[in-house]
């Protein structure tokens, strides 16, 4: 039976250790040619504290002035509590997410910023990859494992962050919101379909990635219950789901739905241990 990373660690919580161990063993036996990774980005691949999302990279850029910052923050304060309240009907949260998205994009358009400003805004932000993400992505690249980053964030920001960290490899695909620019490369909107946490399933049904990449075993990484929808259109036999549980209050609800929880603000070490077992490597053998 496969060894479970963090089995004796109180910050690692399993729905059922025996089932997770069985899934991991199946992944190992099936081989990496039958394996793929599907991951959320904000607060999954990026750190919870210091915090920063793709949208906050732009929303909190001080160079846009106080009026912009106040307006963008007011929009967030109105819609974030609804976004995080899972007791509300799904349609209520979905509509609020849409309003939050469109109002924020309108603020961005009004700022009239050039594409070349994105790396500058990123550098000024607190948006950082979790510790160990680069090593994880290098290991997946070494073994040519498809990695899909499926995010309700902004692809332009994700591209810039992965480029900055030197880990935007050719086995990585990204489904996320793409900013639109005019002929002077000034941001003028977002390409459709809009992707929010509430619409991932709808987008997944239409995206060609899920038709072209067919592998039996999926490692899914997320930080919200809605991230489980990312794999709904993947043709798979077994899925091992891992949640970065950033709020203690969500622990029991997440435990009922994810196979494995990483509590607090951990790095990617435990996830990388899983991947090392699947690819047949021992710890510390990743070529950096």
């Amino acid at each position: 039976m496969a060894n479970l990373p963090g089995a004796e660690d109180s910050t690692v919580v399993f729905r059922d250790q025996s089932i997770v161990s069985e899934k991991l063993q199946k992944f190992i036996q099936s081989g990496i040619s039958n394996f793929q990774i599907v991951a959320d980005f904000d607060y999954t691949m990026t750190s919870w504290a210091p915090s920063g999302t793709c949208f906050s990279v732009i929303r909190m850029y001080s160079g846009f002035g106080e009026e912009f910052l106040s307006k963008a923050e007011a929009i967030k304060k109105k819609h974030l509590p609804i976004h995080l309240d899972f007791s509300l009907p799904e349609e209520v949260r979905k509509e609020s997410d849409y309003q939050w998205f469109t109002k924020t994009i309108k603020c961005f358009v009004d700022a009239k910023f050039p594409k070349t400003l994105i790396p500058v805004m990123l550098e000024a932000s607190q948006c950082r990859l979790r510790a160990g993400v680069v090593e994880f992505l290098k290991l997946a690249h070494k073994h040519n494992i498809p990695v899909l980053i499926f995010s309700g964030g902004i692809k332009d920001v994700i591209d810039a962050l992965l480029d900055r960290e030197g880990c935007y490899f050719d086995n990585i695909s990204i489904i996320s919101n793409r900013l639109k620019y005019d002929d002077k490369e000034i941001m003028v909107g977002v390409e459709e379909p809009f992707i929010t946490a509430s619409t991932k399933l709808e987008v997944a049904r239409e995206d060609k990635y899920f038709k072209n990449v067919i592998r039996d075993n999926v490692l899914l990484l997320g930080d919200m219950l809605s991230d489980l929808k990312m794999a709904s259109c993947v043709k798979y036999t077994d899925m091992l789901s891992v949640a970065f549980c950033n709020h203690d209050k969500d622990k029991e609800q997440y435990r009922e739905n994810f196979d494995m929880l990483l509590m607090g603000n951990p790095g990617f070490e435990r996830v990388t241990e899983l991947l090392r077992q699947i690819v047949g490597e021992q710890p510390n053998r990743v070529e950096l």
Side-chain angles (χ1 to χ4, degrees):
M1 195 64 69
N3 296 320
L4 294 182
E8 307 301 325
D9 188 340
S10 62
T11 65
V12 180
V13 179
F14 296 93
R15 177 165 49 178
D16 185 317
Q17 286 195 24
S18 62
I19 291 177
V20 174
S21 184
E22 288 173 8
K23 287 184 179 181
L24 184 56
Q25 187 63 36
K26 287 180 182 178
F27 285 14
I28 294 169
Q29 292 174 344
S30 295
I32 57 177
S33 63
N34 278 323
F35 177 68
Q36 63 176 305
I37 298 164
V38 178
D40 174 53
F41 192 73
D42 287 333
Y43 297 144
T44 296
M45 301 188 80
T46 61
S47 176
W48 174 249
S51 63
T53 66
C54 294
F55 272 87
S56 73
V57 167
I58 302 174
R59 189 187 72 241
M60 299 179 68
Y61 181 58
S62 61
F64 291 150
E66 188 58 38
E67 182 178 353
F68 171 92
L69 294 173
S70 297
K71 185 176 181 180
E73 184 63 20
I75 295 169
K76 175 192 171 186
K77 284 185 176 180
K78 177 179 179 179
H79 293 283
L80 181 59
I82 300 172
H83 177 74
L84 295 176
D85 189 349
F86 295 104
S87 68
L88 293 172
E90 184 174 352
E91 285 305 310
V92 172
R93 295 179 62 249
K94 183 177 179 179
E95 176 61 23
S96 178
D97 281 353
Y98 177 79
Q99 293 297 327
W100 185 6
F101 181 94
T102 54
K103 291 174 185 176
T104 301
I105 292 300
K106 178 63 165 58
C107 283
F108 292 176
V109 172
D110 291 344
K112 298 179 181 179
F113 65 85
K115 185 176 183 179
T116 54
L117 191 62
I118 289 178
V120 176
M121 292 189 285
L122 178 61
E123 196 61 34
S125 76
Q126 290 189 311
C127 188
R128 301 286 185 272
L129 294 177
R130 286 186 190 265
V133 167
V134 174
E135 181 182 18
F136 175 82
L137 292 177
K138 285 182 176 179
L139 181 59
H141 177 248
K142 177 181 177 181
H143 293 276
N144 198 30
I145 296 168
V147 176
L148 172 66
I149 297 174
F150 194 0
S151 171
I154 300 173
K155 185 177 185 296
D156 309 59
V157 174
I158 299 173
D159 290 349
L161 182 50
L162 295 182
D163 279 337
R164 187 183 73 181
E165 300 302 325
C167 58
Y168 199 165
F169 303 116
D170 57 11
N171 64 314
I172 296 176
S173 300
I174 300 174
I175 301 175
S176 189
N177 294 294
R178 297 171 179 262
L179 301 183
K180 293 194 298 187
Y181 304 92
D182 63 16
D183 56 3
K184 295 182 180 179
E185 295 204 325
I186 301 299
M187 187 267 188
V188 294
V190 176
E191 295 181 12
E192 295 186 2
F194 301 154
I195 305 172
T196 68
S198 304
T199 63
K200 281 187 172 180
L201 178 56
E202 297 169 20
V203 173
R205 287 182 179 137
E206 301 300 324
D207 198 280
K208 63 183 180 180
Y209 179 90
F210 296 97
K211 298 178 178 66
N212 294 336
V213 179
I214 301 175
R215 296 195 174 199
D216 291 340
N217 301 316
V218 178
L219 174 63
L220 183 141
L221 310 175
D223 75 297
M224 296 188 69
L225 293 173
S226 57
D227 289 329
L228 290 167
K229 295 179 180 179
M230 294 189 297
S232 295
C233 293
V234 177
K235 295 179 181 179
Y236 65 89
T237 303
D238 284 298
M239 179 178 73
L240 178 58
S241 57
V242 180
F244 288 82
C245 191
N246 298 310
H247 304 278
D248 286 342
K249 65 181 179 63
D250 296 328
K251 179 179 176 180
E252 291 309 314
Q253 189 175 19
Y254 277 41
R255 186 176 186 175
E256 293 174 1
N257 291 277
F258 285 91
D259 293 313
M260 179 176 174
L261 309 185
L262 303 177
M263 304 300 298
N265 187 36
F268 252 58
E269 292 82 6
R270 298 301 189 192
V271 182
T272 302
E273 287 177 40
L274 285 174
L275 185 56
R276 281 181 177 141
Q277 289 198 55
I278 292 168
V279 302
E281 286 200 4
Q282 297 298 316
N284 303 321
R285 284 185 57 190
V286 180
E287 297 176 2
L288 303 178

